[in-house]
Amino acid sequence: MHKEFFKACFIFTVLVVFCGCTSIIDSRKQKRELTDAYKSGDLQKAHQIVSEECEDHKNSGDSIMWLLESGLIKFDSGDYENSLKAFEHAEEKINEHDERATINARNSGAESGSAMTNPTAIPYKGLYCDRVLLNAYKAMTYLALDNPDAARVELRRMRDIQKRIERQFSDEIERERKTTNAANRKNNAQTRKLSRMGRRGRSGSVNFNTLMKNRTVKKAYADSAKKSEKAYGNFMNPFSTYMSAIGYLVENNYNEACVDFRNLYRMNKNNPLTTRDFVTCARKIGANVPPELRKIPSWDYSLNDNIVFTIFANGHAPALKQTKIELVLPYVGYTGIAFPQYEYFKRFFKKIVLSADDKTHSSIPLADMDAIIAQEYHKRLPTMITRLVISYLVKETASLVAVQVAKQQGGGAELIAYGATGLYKYLFNTADTRCWETLPGEYQMLHFPIPKDRQLKLNLSTLVSKKEILIDLKKDSRFVIVYIRGLDRKIISVKTFEFN
Amino acid sequence: MKKQHIILASTAVATAIFLTACGSGPSRFNAQSNRGITTTDDINFKDWQITAEKTVNSMLKSGALRRPDGRKNIVMISTVKNSTSQHVNTQILTNKIRQAILRSGLALTTTAVSARGAEDKASKQVRQLEGDEMFNQDTVQKQGTAIAPDMSLAGEIVQEKTRQGRTKQSYFFFHLTLTDLKTGLAVWEDNVEIAKQSKKALIGW
Amino acid sequence: MKKSAYTMFAALVVVCAGCQNTVDTLENEQKEMKVNYIRSKNISTDGYLRDRLIIDSMNKATLPGGIMQAQVTIRSNRVGFFTELWSDITDEDPYKIAYRFNWLDLDGMEIQTANSVWTELDLIPGETRRLQSVAPNPRCKDFMLSIKEFDYK
């Protein structure tokens, strides 16, 4: 009895140690202090917290998530060198995952860990859209460090990833779906076995369909479907495509920029900014302008000389939060399965208005991160549910076996076993809420010629404490990128990247 | 039973020895040899060497460096544009080439001017000593004595990446040109292609 | 039983050997070119390499600037049924070699340049290749070519 008990304790400790703390406390809760600091605009505090957390989670499965948060917070607070280090580190780790053998011991180990505990045992590898934005931000960081050549390299990497996402990763999701279907069949068989082991010869259990029919899951599925209606084709991100176009314009490569603008036009045919950009570029290189766009005039200024591109990063990206799916099962009674669900945030700013040379220019929405992230969530949801089912079944089977063994021992062992297995199930009932929370909820874009007085004025609405922010440009710059980060009622940072 | 224990123990020891033997301490090796790590995504030092070898041979063979009037051409190193998705230092290539140009005796290279400002800032700095009381003004380099370049070496490195299944491939295209600055015409051009491939393991750690 | 095993093996051998492609060459018989052949002194330490690679000729030319250019013609001799079968089994098709030119000046001193590095070369059985090198400067008139089977050393 003692031996068994110590064995169980040992296994439990090993699980806790190896699976990291997100297996017990969900990451949304772990990051609360950080996100509160960031959202209140206290970048200094956020910077300090994230640096410590990154150090603590250096070797855990969550390190990529922390590094992404760290990179972006440090970028926003103007600590470009450390931002670059964090992003670089994250990229290295993501690549390391990509380079692993197709069937490898570490992933299989993580999968079994996830079955015994919960999906957070699987290392966080970042969403596909995270990977694209990682290189986009690295490019901007290099611009801030006055290294445009390196920024161009990052833009090229960003394009590579985007290309891979379109071709390869959608296949990957399809493949995952097939494996989960196979796993589901196996699960159903195990469910029946589990029922036979139950106390009264029969026990209610969980399978893929019960979960998919659940109200909370159904709603999450429907919500993400609705949100992703606005998405821009297969995992496309208009922001990264626009960044790519800007990169080509700087290189004076109108041909390639035109390809990007054409793609942007395909992603969203009603965007007045990208449509006009496309028309301007197409006319410049003598390419075909679609008949429906013939009436749209070109911009009356050059897109790659004496121009200000302004990116407005607005609000918060959706964040996963833990919801308990409540299931009432015959003979087992109440069961709760922790399930991650996106929470979407309202945006305070509708747009920003910049004045230059007594003219005002307002920003136009370009990429809605809610839609982009929801699309990916929607596609990954079936896999997620399957993992939950597997984990549930493994845990239930283990508990049942433990209780039955204890029963044979007699002498109160049954009670201890009940307590221990209950604690085990309770502690590891955690949802995988890991995601990049400091991303903006939306990207807006605008461009106009550099004003003669080389000064821009950011006009803010009356609800914001500061009424206007002045942005001075260098005397000799010919190409300017302004990056403005806006949160609830606050503009937390304004950056200008200028080059000749 | 005892025999089994002995077998078990010796197997464990053998495994341990085998695993330790897998690693190796740091060591130096000849940079001109074929050793060294080859990766698909990056330009490794061997790739730079192969490119330099081919371009130097081609440039010397072309005779483009020679001048009919007997004076030696002055070559400046302009930029080799990096159009790959890797952060690379293209100076490894240009330095190898400029060294070969100088060693050939057919032309001279200048360090006083390059696409990114002077390679050696001293040529400009010493002229700022004019009027400095500390220096014997007869030994200070005078303005108007530096020689401007006749030719410029430039180029581009392009990378094309492809993936299919577990296999990934990189194709590097190195293109170099030597331009006569008087006429703006290219007097020599050549390219080197390097293709690399790797396949991800099916089963592994 | 035994008979069928032999037949199977023979079939396998034929299939394997059939997998390998060799290079056929065709050239004009009456040459227009005036080749300045050099007599060579060959020191061979690798018996395998000697059997597999044939050095056909060495020739040189002087370029307008007084710079010498050398060319060595080599041919892969890995043809014939058993040789091809063996190179197929040992995965040595194409045959990988590495070569290096070293240039010596008039005083017999070696001149190190960007060219004096081991360069890899793939040879298909029966293929003829010409290895070229240009002297680093006009004072270099002598050279030495080293060839080895390719390995990561």
Side-chain angles (χ1 to χ4, degrees):
Chain A
M1 158 64 204
H2 275 285
K3 230 181 182 176
E4 296 285 318
F5 182 72
F6 281 123
K7 220 190 234 171
C9 285
F10 175 71
I11 292 173
F12 180 76
T13 324
V14 167
L15 282 178
V16 174
V17 170
F18 280 95
C19 297
C21 28
T22 34
S23 22
I24 294 184
I25 305 164
D26 84 288
S27 87
R28 180 79 186 275
K29 271 191 208 128
Q30 275 187 57
K31 281 199 283 185
R32 178 141 309 150
E33 200 192 346
L34 174 71
T35 43
D36 282 351
Y38 181 76
K39 287 179 182 181
S40 66
D42 190 351
L43 286 175
Q44 209 179 348
K45 193 176 163 201
H47 186 295
Q48 192 199 339
I49 297 171
V50 84
S51 305
E52 286 165 11
E53 292 283 359
C54 268
E55 194 54 38
D56 291 348
H57 293 87
K58 217 164 42 183
N59 298 314
S60 83
D62 312 336
S63 58
I64 292 173
M65 171 188 78
W66 286 107
L67 286 167
L68 290 174
E69 302 284 10
S70 164
L72 192 49
I73 288 171
K74 286 168 184 172
F75 173 79
D76 280 333
S77 35
D79 182 4
Y80 300 119
E81 264 156 43
N82 285 317
S83 158
L84 192 61
K85 266 186 210 159
F87 280 139
E88 211 128 74
H89 205 157
E91 194 182 20
E92 250 171 52
K93 291 207 166 206
I94 290 172
N95 286 344
E96 195 264 329
H97 277 292
D98 276 358
E99 293 304 314
R100 285 187 187 175
T102 316
I103 302 164
N104 69 76
R106 279 176 291 178
N107 283 9
S108 317
E111 284 288 350
S112 353
S114 121
M116 277 189 277
T117 58
N118 57 49
T120 52
I122 297 169
Y124 181 75
K125 288 168 230 165
L127 290 179
Y128 297 148
C129 69
D130 293 357
R131 296 189 185 195
V132 177
L133 288 174
L134 162 68
N135 288 110
Y137 275 104
K138 265 181 91 183
M140 280 196 275
T141 316
Y142 271 117
L143 284 183
L145 291 169
D146 205 16
N147 192 347
D149 285 345
R152 275 197 279 274
V153 168
E154 294 303 331
L155 287 181
R156 254 174 254 129
R157 283 189 192 174
M158 183 189 78
R159 290 175 200 131
D160 283 347
I161 300 272
Q162 186 70 59
K163 214 160 74 184
R164 272 177 65 195
I165 289 172
E166 286 163 52
R167 287 183 196 163
Q168 192 187 339
F169 293 156
S170 29
D171 295 349
E172 209 171 284
I173 286 193
E174 183 55 28
R175 214 174 326 134
E176 239 178 32
R177 202 182 58 80
K178 277 184 189 151
T179 22
T180 46
N181 281 350
N184 279 326
R185 278 197 291 279
K186 226 168 100 191
N187 287 344
N188 288 340
Q190 199 177 352
T191 309
R192 283 194 290 277
K193 202 173 133 201
L194 193 63
S195 309
R196 280 200 295 278
M197 277 172 72
R199 213 192 314 198
R200 288 172 217 176
R202 222 167 68 103
S203 160
S205 196
V206 174
N207 63 20
F208 184 75
N209 291 334
T210 23
L211 275 188
M212 280 307 266
K213 271 185 218 142
N214 179 275
R215 201 158 41 91
T216 321
V217 178
K218 243 183 175 169
K219 191 170 175 295
Y221 199 67
D223 273 358
S224 58
K226 194 166 165 243
K227 281 269 178 198
S228 54
E229 267 169 23
K230 256 178 86 183
Y232 313 90
N234 219 357
F235 298 112
M236 297 296 272
N237 185 342
F239 172 63
S240 65
T241 312
Y242 208 103
M243 286 297 285
S244 161
I246 293 178
Y248 283 126
L249 287 173
V250 176
E251 285 179 52
N252 212 1
N253 191 342
Y254 268 90
N255 277 314
E256 293 302 316
C258 189
V259 174
D260 281 329
F261 285 131
R262 189 178 296 124
N263 286 335
L264 281 165
Y265 173 63
R266 281 193 194 129
M267 285 180 221
N268 184 357
K269 299 210 158 145
N270 302 318
N271 189 317
L273 181 84
T274 52
T275 314
R276 207 164 162 190
D277 287 341
F278 171 44
V279 170
T280 311
C281 244
R283 284 196 188 123
K284 174 120 183 166
I285 60 167
N288 239 354
V289 178
E292 69 271 20
L293 300 180
R294 296 252 160 86
K295 279 187 189 150
I296 294 176
S298 301
W299 295 108
D300 54 2
Y301 47 87
S302 162
L303 285 180
N304 73 339
D305 188 32
N306 203 39
I307 188 167
V308 183
F309 280 94
T310 307
I311 302 159
F312 178 46
N314 187 15
H316 307 294
L320 285 166
K321 75 168 184 225
Q322 176 170 312
T323 329
K324 287 254 161 88
I325 311 175
E326 293 172 1
L327 294 169
V328 182
L329 299 170
Y331 310 111
V332 172
Y334 165 83
T335 304
I337 295 183
F339 170 76
Q341 199 178 358
Y342 269 111
E343 184 184 349
Y344 301 94
F345 300 99
K346 273 215 175 96
R347 291 176 205 124
F348 173 74
F349 293 104
K350 291 274 164 286
K351 60 177 184 185
I352 51 159
V353 179
L354 278 168
S355 5
D357 276 347
D358 303 325
K359 270 191 221 151
T360 55
H361 309 271
S362 36
S363 60
I364 289 164
L366 178 69
D368 184 359
M369 292 305 290
D370 285 359
I372 294 166
I373 292 172
Q375 186 188 31
E376 213 175 320
Y377 173 79
H378 189 72
K379 296 219 168 162
R380 286 173 188 264
L381 196 68
T383 315
M384 212 149 61
I385 297 283
T386 308
R387 284 209 175 107
L388 285 177
V389 173
I390 294 174
S391 171
Y392 174 82
L393 289 177
V394 168
K395 279 187 281 190
E396 281 300 317
T397 316
S399 322
L400 263 176
V401 170
V403 170
Q404 277 183 352
V405 167
K407 249 203 263 176
Q408 282 157 14
Q409 304 267 339
E414 197 184 345
L415 275 180
I416 298 177
Y418 265 124
T421 54
L423 185 70
Y424 163 62
K425 281 191 279 183
Y426 171 77
L427 279 182
F428 286 120
N429 194 6
T430 314
D432 182 5
T433 56
R434 294 172 296 181
C435 59
W436 193 353
E437 284 185 50
T438 44
L439 277 180
E442 173 192 49
Y443 290 97
Q444 301 195 351
M445 187 65 80
L446 72 151
H447 56 67
F448 47 85
I450 295 179
K452 282 188 195 79
D453 59 358
R454 308 197 84 81
Q455 194 180 56
L456 313 176
K457 201 161 74 187
L458 176 58
N459 311 317
L460 297 171
S461 84
T462 47
L463 293 164
V464 184
S465 53
K466 260 187 185 172
K467 294 289 161 287
E468 57 176 44
I469 295 174
L470 290 176
I471 306 163
D472 289 309
L473 304 180
K474 281 183 204 152
K475 243 189 264 166
D476 51 354
S477 48
R478 310 285 305 161
F479 204 104
V480 181
I481 297 175
V482 181
Y483 180 88
I484 300 169
R485 179 74 175 104
L487 295 175
D488 307 321
R489 292 167 192 260
K490 274 179 292 292
I491 297 289
I492 58 166
S493 72
V494 177
K495 305 174 187 310
T496 50
F497 314 126
E498 304 175 49
F499 29 134
N500 300 332
Chain B
M1 189 64 197
K2 256 191 179 165
K3 208 175 172 187
Q4 268 184 358
H5 275 233
I6 293 168
I7 293 171
L8 205 70
S10 44
T11 319
V13 171
T15 319
I17 291 173
F18 177 73
L19 287 178
T20 353
C22 282
S24 75
S27 66
R28 247 174 228 107
F29 65 93
N30 184 358
Q32 263 78 50
S33 71
N34 290 316
R35 278 180 76 177
I37 298 159
T38 310
T39 49
T40 313
D41 275 347
D42 312 281
I43 302 176
N44 307 117
F45 78 86
K46 202 72 210 170
D47 303 324
W48 292 120
Q49 287 181 350
I50 293 169
T51 312
E53 193 252 359
K54 296 203 170 147
T55 44
V56 166
N57 267 337
S58 156
M59 189 193 287
L60 293 180
K61 206 165 98 182
S62 73
L65 290 169
R66 270 175 3 105
R67 275 176 85 96
D69 61 2
R71 185 171 77 82
K72 281 181 182 175
N73 269 319
I74 313 292
V75 180
M76 77 171 261
I77 311 297
S78 182
T79 39
V80 173
K81 196 176 155 204
N82 171 15
S83 297
T84 70
S85 49
Q86 309 304 324
H87 295 281
V88 294
N89 190 348
T90 54
Q91 280 207 335
I92 301 173
L93 182 61
T94 49
N95 285 356
K96 271 177 177 286
I97 296 172
R98 69 185 298 159
Q99 174 213 3
I101 291 174
L102 197 57
R103 197 164 281 178
S104 75
L106 299 177
L108 297 170
T109 53
T110 172
T111 57
V113 54
S114 83
R116 281 185 202 157
E119 198 119 334
D120 184 352
K121 292 190 174 63
S123 310
K124 193 147 213 153
Q125 279 166 353
V126 291
R127 282 171 177 80
Q128 285 159 1
L129 303 177
E130 220 166 330
D132 191 329
E133 287 171 5
M134 192 177 132
F135 290 89
N136 176 352
Q137 288 299 311
D138 295 340
T139 63
V140 171
Q141 299 299 335
K142 300 286 174 299
Q143 296 286 356
T145 54
I147 301 171
D150 306 296
M151 287 179 162
S152 127
L153 179 79
E156 186 174 8
I157 309 170
V158 183
Q159 180 183 17
E160 288 252 317
K161 290 206 261 185
T162 336
R163 276 170 193 263
Q164 191 177 47
R166 287 184 289 126
T167 311
K168 68 173 177 185
Q169 181 178 294
S170 265
Y171 166 69
F172 291 100
F173 184 86
F174 296 77
H175 186 199
L176 288 166
T177 55
L178 191 66
T179 309
D180 185 342
L181 293 171
K182 189 175 176 186
T183 57
L185 301 177
V187 290
W188 167 82
E189 276 188 76
D190 206 354
N191 61 62
V192 177
E193 292 159 290
I194 290 176
K196 297 162 129 191
Q197 207 180 58
S198 66
K199 198 168 178 184
K200 203 162 90 168
L202 185 63
I203 299 167
W205 160 239
Chain C
M1 186 62 210
K2 237 181 181 178
K3 211 173 177 185
S4 64
Y6 280 130
T7 329
M8 286 273 281
F9 179 71
L12 191 74
V13 163
V14 171
V15 167
C16 285
C19 290
Q20 198 160 28
N21 292 323
T22 58
V23 177
D24 292 342
T25 55
L26 190 69
E27 53 189 314
N28 57 333
E29 199 181 64
Q30 297 201 323
K31 298 275 187 275
E32 301 284 326
M33 59 189 182
K34 293 185 191 78
V35 184
N36 191 358
Y37 287 109
I38 325 169
R39 288 175 58 188
S40 63
K41 190 174 85 177
N42 192 358
I43 300 166
S44 175
T45 50
D46 186 342
Y48 288 106
L49 184 67
R50 190 179 51 208
D51 296 341
R52 292 169 182 181
L53 203 69
I54 290 177
I55 301 198
D56 273 346
S57 62
M58 282 165 97
N59 57 305
K60 65 174 181 182
T62 308
L63 298 168
I67 286 186
M68 210 181 102
Q69 185 187 0
Q71 176 176 278
V72 178
T73 310
I74 57 168
R75 180 160 51 87
S76 163
N77 195 30
R78 304 202 78 190
V79 288
F81 180 76
F82 285 105
T83 320
E84 282 174 34
L85 180 64
W86 181 246
S87 61
D88 210 46
I89 292 167
T90 53
D91 201 20
E92 282 181 341
D93 175 34
Y95 189 39
K96 277 175 118 55
I97 61 159
Y99 68 93
R100 183 183 65 190
F101 277 95
N102 292 85
W103 286 91
L104 308 171
D105 71 5
L106 292 174
D107 305 317
M109 294 293 168
E110 185 181 324
I111 305 294
Q112 280 280 336
T113 60
N115 316 26
S116 36
V117 290
W118 284 105
T119 310
E120 307 164 27
L121 188 73
D122 286 357
L123 281 170
I124 304 166
E127 191 184 18
T128 303
R129 291 289 281 267
R130 290 173 180 85
L131 314 180
Q132 287 193 343
S133 183
V134 179
N137 66 45
R139 266 173 58 80
C140 286
K141 298 289 178 206
D142 297 298
F143 70 94
M144 186 175 81
L145 170 69
S146 317
I147 305 179
K148 63 172 186 174
E149 287 196 335
F150 178 83
D151 54 9
Y152 288 97
K153 274 174 192 155

